[in-house]
Amino acid sequence: MPLTLRHALDDPPLRQLPAPVGDLLLRLDASPRLAAHLRAVHDVAAQLTDWLTVHYPTLVVDRDAVLFGAATHDIGKTVHVAELSGPGSRHEPAGRQILLDAGIDPYLARFAATHAGWRSPGIECEDLLVSLADMIWKAKRVVDLEQLVVDRLAASSGQEPWRAFVNLDDHLDGIAADADQRLAFQNSYPITAG
């Protein structure tokens, strides 16, 4: 039996996407592979924000926004399907527009457009965390992105930057250790439905 979008949304072991996101992916007839990817990044974002809550409670982060952003960051690939398996950035503005058209608040829809723009001025901590989750889910380490997060951690906690770096680095190493399982989960679903 082929793995369908419904399987990608429901199969263990990753956390479920927020219900409105799953419903939207069903309405858009999203690729099962895309749904599996969004679940993997969402799961990592939850791990990151859970860790921050415990270890950096003074860092003000809208956890729900980060989780929604991670769950929808690539939704534009429902219309730019070639970008599921190849390079491209057309999905970014398209994703934001899909979310806006679905009645999603611009505050939340922005992540579809900002997840690859973490170097842009005025980027919020939530945007950095979505970008970080989108990298570390597959064990990709991006020093400049991680440094921006370290800077936020050090500023909010009063820690020396080197200590914030060591703490974040250790946590990201732990998340990265499970990348093969997340990649296997994602890659077990077809790019096209049916």
Side-chain angles (χ1 to χ4, degrees):
M1 180 170 97
L3 293 173
T4 65
L5 174 57
R6 178 54 71 188
H7 289 108
L9 291 171
D10 295 336
D11 287 352
L14 301 176
R15 287 173 178 85
Q16 299 290 309
L17 295 173
V21 175
D23 293 344
L24 180 57
L25 290 172
L26 287 167
R27 284 196 312 274
L28 294 170
D29 195 26
S31 157
R33 173 86 45 95
L34 175 60
H37 170 68
L38 293 174
R39 282 189 63 202
V41 175
H42 174 261
D43 191 75
V44 167
Q47 292 178 55
L48 283 170
T49 55
D50 290 348
W51 178 79
L52 289 171
T53 299
V54 172
H55 296 281
Y56 290 91
T58 56
L59 181 67
V60 177
V61 172
D62 184 340
R63 182 179 191 275
D64 291 337
V66 172
L67 295 179
F68 186 88
T72 59
H73 73 283
D74 276 347
I75 203 162
K77 291 182 180 183
T78 58
V79 292
H80 296 288
V81 179
E83 293 181 16
L84 278 169
S85 58
S89 59
R90 293 181 308 158
H91 72 277
E92 295 161 13
R96 181 178 182 278
Q97 192 59 54
I98 287 168
L99 293 170
L100 292 173
D101 291 347
I104 303 299
D105 188 291
Y107 171 74
L108 295 174
R110 78 179 198 256
F111 295 105
T114 64
H115 69 275
W118 52 266
R119 290 181 181 98
S120 302
I123 284 292
E124 300 293 329
C125 190
E126 290 82 1
D127 300 280
L128 295 175
L129 294 172
V130 170
S131 298
L132 184 58
D134 192 31
M135 297 295 176
I136 200 64
W137 80 274
K138 60 184 175 186
K140 183 174 182 180
R141 302 296 297 265
V142 180
V143 173
D144 293 345
L145 172 58
E146 292 176 23
Q147 185 61 53
L148 291 173
V149 175
V150 165
D151 293 345
R152 303 286 176 113
L153 298 178
S156 74
S157 68
Q159 269 184 339
E160 291 293 328
W162 69 267
R163 172 53 60 197
F165 168 81
V166 168
N167 292 342
L168 180 64
D169 186 60
D170 286 348
H171 186 61
L172 295 179
D173 280 348
I175 292 174
D178 294 328
D180 287 344
Q181 289 88 352
R182 286 186 296 271
L183 282 162
F185 177 83
Q186 174 191 278
N187 293 336
S188 69
Y189 295 93
I191 290 177
T192 57

